[in-house]
Amino acid sequence: MTGTQIPLILDVDTGIDDSLALLYLLASPEAEITAITCTAGNVPARQVALNNLAWLELCGVNGIEVALGAEVPVIQPLMTTEETHGPQGIGHAVLPTPNQQISERHATEVWIDVVRSRPGEVMGLVTGPLTNLALALKICPELPHLLNRLVIMGGAVNYPGNTTPTTEWNIAVDPDAAKIVFDAFSVLPADRLPIVCALDVTERIEMRPEHIAALADVAGSSPAERIDPTDALGTRSQASNAVVRHLSDAVRFYMEFHREQDQGFLAHMHDPFAAAIALDPELATMRLATVDVELAGTLTRGQTVADWRGMWGRDSNAAIVVDTDPAEFFRRVIDRVGRFAREVG
């Protein structure tokens, strides 16, 4: 490690909740983002890369490589979800066109170079489909041993899916990649197994209008930031603080989507939670299990199945988050991102 910092490679399909995850990491002094690699998922991969460049530029951050990765899954056709995240993946927000450029290197090259250059140090954080990591593993099979640890946002273990009745989005987009990753990381000791943040817990991370209001207050933004469920669809923020304004516009879209799905006027913040766990695993209670991915089922392709009791006779290959304190998570988000927004305007 470099001092007290945690080097991270961030693999994303940005995405509204990926956007807040990025802001959380930028706001966290212990996080050192070594690179951002982009895969197709919520929106196409090139749009993902542009979204990350735009957020970095808005925040005045230079020097973080943003690399384009897989534009299609390993085998199956790509599906994206603009109805969930908006036409550009950032809800109602319209970020300035970035001046910074997408890296000339492919994401798989970045993954391999980063972990080889700092063996045993780097934390991998994947908040999108696992395609880039699966491709990197094909080239560099020793990658699991080179990482410090891997954190995955994905799967639904003892919980209904959000894409099909049995599947979570990130795994459903590329189940073949997910199986490659879970199989490859099964060689590690228990304390270095991938940490899996599945829907079982991430759907308890419910961001509500009052969280955005509190974050804006910390940022010193004016006027008071209020997202009201009675507002007209697509109402835009008038916040003086640019980070607050764009984040509010993005999250409002996500809240409107969840309401349309009869889940309430809220936003499930899956990816920021995974980011927080990457920096502080003590925020979660975890339980070891053996995870496999269904590839052949006509109704269940992409389902993550966990063997909690050793019935398969195989060693555990994942530490699954089974509990957390959502209030503490949001306290950290409000404090960190609010202060960061105040600093960068």
Side-chain angles (χ1 to χ4, degrees):
M1 302 291 180
T2 305
T4 59
Q5 285 195 305
I6 300 169
L8 295 124
I9 182 167
L10 179 58
D11 198 293
V12 293
D13 64 339
T14 315
I16 293 168
D17 51 335
D18 310 73
S19 295
L20 182 56
L22 175 59
L23 291 173
Y24 184 84
L25 293 173
L26 292 173
S28 298
E30 69 270 37
E32 176 199 349
I33 302 175
T34 63
I36 300 173
T37 53
C38 307
T39 188
N42 290 323
V43 289
R46 190 163 296 273
Q47 184 62 53
V48 170
L50 292 173
N51 289 346
N52 285 293
L53 288 172
W55 279 116
L56 291 174
E57 196 153 308
L58 179 72
C59 297
V61 176
N62 297 298
I64 296 178
E65 183 176 12
V66 176
L68 184 64
E71 299 190 66
V72 293
V74 170
I75 293 176
Q76 68 183 29
L78 174 65
M79 57 179 178
T80 57
T81 185
E82 287 83 356
E83 68 276 12
T84 305
H85 290 270
Q88 295 180 305
I90 46 177
H92 298 304
V94 181
L95 293 173
T97 302
N99 293 311
Q100 299 177 62
Q101 299 298 310
I102 299 171
S103 173
E104 295 182 359
R105 301 200 297 169
H106 191 275
T108 54
E109 181 183 355
V110 174
W111 262 102
I112 293 166
D113 284 355
V114 167
V115 299
R116 281 180 173 167
S117 67
R118 302 174 71 169
E121 293 186 25
V122 178
M123 180 80 71
L125 172 60
V126 183
T127 63
L130 287 152
T131 316
N132 287 335
L133 180 53
L135 294 174
L137 285 163
K138 291 296 186 182
I139 301 168
C140 178
E142 70 272 23
L143 194 152
H145 297 285
L146 295 173
L147 270 181
N148 178 287
R149 203 161 190 185
L150 175 67
V151 177
I152 297 169
M153 191 281 121
V157 182
N158 297 324
Y159 199 83
N162 63 357
T163 305
T164 75
T166 61
T167 61
E168 177 274 331
W169 173 259
N170 287 338
I171 306 298
V173 169
D174 198 345
D176 302 280
K179 179 166 177 58
I180 289 168
V181 170
F182 280 112
D183 288 352
F185 277 79
S186 63
V187 298
L188 297 175
D191 62 347
R192 294 186 57 217
L193 291 175
I195 298 172
V196 178
C197 304
L199 293 183
D200 311 49
V201 169
T202 65
E203 286 204 346
R204 291 173 51 199
I205 310 301
E206 299 177 345
M207 177 168 263
R208 298 180 181 271
E210 54 265 31
H211 293 122
I212 292 292
L215 189 155
D217 288 344
V218 173
S221 186
S222 61
E225 189 64 16
R226 299 291 181 262
I227 299 177
D228 194 308
T230 64
D231 291 340
L233 289 176
T235 297
R236 302 290 295 279
S237 170
Q238 300 301 310
S240 60
N241 183 285
V243 173
V244 170
R245 184 168 66 253
H246 291 300
L247 178 62
S248 181
D249 284 344
V251 172
R252 178 188 289 274
F253 186 99
Y254 215 23
M255 290 179 176
E256 291 170 350
F257 167 79
H258 283 81
R259 180 173 59 188
E260 290 172 4
Q261 301 299 309
D262 296 322
Q263 294 177 301
F265 195 68
L266 53 84
H268 291 139
M269 285 299 171
H270 316 277
D271 298 343
F273 175 72
I277 295 303
L279 297 184
D280 182 11
E282 296 300 316
L283 186 58
T285 301
M286 292 175 256
R287 184 179 170 194
L288 297 182
T290 307
V291 175
D292 210 333
V293 182
E294 177 59 59
L295 298 182
T298 56
L299 298 178
T300 58
R301 176 171 161 81
Q303 182 176 4
T304 43
V305 182
D307 177 8
W308 300 102
R309 299 168 63 182
M311 299 174 75
W312 290 333
R314 292 154 50 188
D315 290 339
S316 298
N317 64 354
I320 300 175
V321 176
V322 294
D323 198 13
T324 191
D325 181 353
E328 172 58 19
F329 165 76
F330 279 113
R331 186 196 67 76
R332 298 184 191 191
V333 169
I334 290 164
D335 179 66
R336 293 185 181 205
V337 179
R339 289 175 183 271
F340 180 70
R342 179 190 285 269
E343 291 172 5
V344 302

